[in-house]
């Protein structure tokens, strides 16, 4: 089984969005897996327990041995971020006496869309001052609120997030695709659209706005004033939610609002929700993350912050079991 956005290319599965994972069931005492090119951090799990962490593994064939001969489930999680280029995974293989099993699809599916907060940027290091290498090494999507929430509900998930990107404006006004502009594509080169017919989430969680508003406007940007940026942000966010509704049918949409100066994000997203609901959108909620410590690298959410956000989502999902497909059947 494969979780997240991947692109079949030659003999390897190519991915660039974070939070991708690969799973297989088998009977035997060992399992092989092939890693392709690309800087990545991999978590290796057997039967739900992490057994190893691989940082920048060289391309090649690896073997997990020493398992009690019997039924097992292997899972490899890509927890790092790869804006500079994709990572590749070549699949699993077994010894001659191994027998492949099946990995049934989970009943629940949840998608998370956002920026560095959703990526888990620097989350493994509880320190605000970090070098670029420390940021890379401590970015760990498995610690972020999305996978934490998905694990609570035994849900398959996608993490469609890029650090530094916003709805209409990126961090510091960077001239890169915004998240809604990058979202339709399977890789960050914008060449191949993601058209997976087998991905239909029950719940979609969006956490955007921090990068639109966290840095002051600079000369040369297209907004003449902060108010003009807020107006454009609202219009862009409405359009993006409308594309998500078109793409994901009756999925329940949750818009998260992280802390910001003068509650700029919360106010703006609240207006977005009002516009959408006035136009007939009735499967949508706005949830505030609450105050966050931001003690991880470069003032990002800490592990405790991510646990808090996951708790906010869990409180809502527990109170609204009808959002899951089995709750609507």
């Amino acid at each position: 089984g494969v979780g997240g956005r991947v692109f079949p290319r030659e003999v390897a599965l190519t991915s660039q969005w974070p939070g991708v994972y690969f799973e297989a069931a088998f009977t035997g005492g060992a399992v092989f897996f092939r890693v392709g090119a690309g800087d990545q951090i991999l978590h290796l799990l057997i039967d739900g327990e992490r057994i190893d962490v691989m940082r920048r593994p060289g391309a090649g064939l690896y073997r997990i041995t020493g398992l009690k001969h019997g039924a097992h489930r292997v899972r490899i999680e890509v927890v790092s971020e790869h804006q500079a280029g994709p990572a590749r995974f070549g699949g699993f293989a077994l010894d001659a006496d191994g027998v492949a099993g099946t990995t049934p699809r989970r009943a629940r599916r949840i998608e998370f869309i956002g920026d560095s907060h959703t990526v888990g940027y620097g989350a493994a290091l509880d320190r605000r001052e970090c070098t670029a290498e420390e940021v890379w090494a401590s970015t760990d999507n498995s610690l972020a609120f999305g996978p934490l929430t998905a694990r609570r509900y035994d849900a398959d998930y996608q993490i469609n997030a890029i650090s530094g990107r916003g709805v209409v404006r990126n961090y510091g006004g960077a001239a890169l695709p915004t998240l809604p502009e990058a979202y339709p594509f399977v890789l960050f080169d914008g060449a191949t659209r993601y058209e997976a017919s087998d991905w239909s989430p029950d719940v979609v969680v969006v956490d955007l706005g921090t990068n639109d508003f966290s840095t002051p406007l600079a000369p040369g940007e297209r907004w003449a004033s902060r108010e003009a940026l807020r107006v454009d942000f609202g219009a862009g966010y409405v359009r993006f939610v409308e594309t998500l509704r078109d793409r994901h049918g009756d999925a329940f949409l949750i818009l998260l609002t992280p802390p910001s100066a003068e509650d700029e994000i919360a106010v703006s997203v609240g207006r977005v929700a009002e516009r959408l609901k006035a136009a007939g959108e009735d499967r949508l909620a706005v949830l505030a993350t609450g105050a966050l410590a931001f003690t991880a690298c470069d003032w990002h959410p800490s592990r405790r912050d991510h646990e808090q956000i996951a708790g906010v989502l869990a409180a809502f999902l527990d109170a609204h079991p009808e959002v899951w497909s089995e709750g609507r059947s």
Side-chain angles (χ1 to χ4, degrees):
V2 177
R5 292 188 179 186
V6 299
F7 180 58
R9 178 172 291 177
E10 300 169 352
V11 297
L13 294 168
T14 302
S15 63
Q16 199 164 11
W17 294 92
V20 171
Y21 55 93
F22 308 93
E23 296 179 301
F26 66 97
T27 299
V31 61
F32 296 87
F33 62 94
R34 184 175 295 278
V35 175
D39 282 355
Q40 54 188 324
I41 301 173
L42 306 178
H43 287 183
L44 278 54
L45 296 92
I46 294 289
D47 302 328
E49 297 293 326
R50 187 189 306 171
I51 62 166
D52 200 3
V53 177
M54 302 176 71
R55 295 178 173 85
R56 291 195 176 96
L61 186 65
Y62 295 83
R63 186 176 188 229
I64 300 173
T65 60
L67 306 177
K68 181 178 179 181
H69 197 283
H72 298 286
R73 187 160 180 157
V74 58
R75 177 181 172 101
I76 296 181
E77 299 177 345
V78 185
V79 302
S80 41
E81 187 173 21
H82 312 97
Q83 289 197 42
R88 292 173 178 84
F89 181 76
F92 298 103
L94 298 172
D95 285 326
D97 63 347
V99 178
T102 58
T103 53
R105 290 189 60 183
R106 293 175 177 85
R108 295 175 170 181
R109 295 162 300 280
I110 184 166
E111 178 172 333
F112 298 89
I113 299 170
D115 50 35
S116 55
H117 293 193
T118 305
V119 168
Y121 180 108
L125 195 57
D126 195 29
R127 190 173 73 236
R128 288 170 174 161
E129 300 298 322
C130 304
T131 65
E133 176 60 25
E134 287 172 333
V135 168
W136 184 84
S138 62
T139 293
D140 185 344
N141 189 245
S142 73
L143 300 177
F145 66 84
L148 291 178
T149 303
R151 287 195 291 271
R152 177 185 177 97
Y153 296 100
D154 190 28
D156 278 315
Y157 58 88
Q158 282 193 3
I159 308 296
N160 297 321
I162 310 175
S163 293
R165 308 298 173 90
V167 175
V168 296
R169 180 176 182 261
N170 298 322
Y171 183 83
L176 294 165
T178 61
L179 201 288
E181 289 171 340
Y183 180 82
F185 299 98
V186 69
L187 300 176
F188 295 174
D189 58 8
T192 303
R193 299 185 75 86
Y194 180 72
E195 302 289 0
S197 59
D198 61 345
W199 178 247
S200 179
D202 304 300
V203 179
V204 177
V205 179
V206 184
D207 184 0
L208 287 169
T210 296
N211 292 308
D212 296 87
F213 297 123
S214 62
T215 52
L217 288 169
E221 292 195 60
R222 72 173 190 262
W223 302 277
S225 66
R226 194 80 175 184
E227 178 57 28
L229 172 59
R230 286 192 286 264
V231 170
D232 195 27
F233 173 86
Y237 207 137
V238 167
R239 287 194 301 272
F240 186 47
V241 172
E242 289 172 343
T243 66
L244 294 175
R245 173 58 68 216
D246 290 342
R247 185 183 190 101
H248 293 316
D250 66 349
F252 194 92
L253 307 177
I254 297 174
L255 311 183
L256 283 176
T257 59
S260 62
E262 299 177 354
D263 282 334
E264 193 168 22
I265 297 173
V267 171
S268 297
V269 174
R271 290 171 180 166
V272 165
E274 290 171 3
R275 289 174 59 180
L276 290 163
K277 290 179 179 179
E281 175 60 64
D282 60 358
R283 292 185 57 76
L284 179 145
V286 177
L287 298 180
T289 65
L292 302 175
F294 293 120
T295 54
C297 286
D298 298 333
W299 292 75
H300 277 76
S302 65
R303 294 179 66 164
R304 185 169 294 180
D305 289 338
H306 282 290
E307 291 166 358
Q308 174 180 311
I309 300 168
V312 168
L313 289 169
F316 180 86
L317 294 170
D318 287 348
H320 297 86
E322 70 278 3
V323 303
W324 304 110
S325 57
E326 71 265 28
R328 303 196 300 271
S329 59

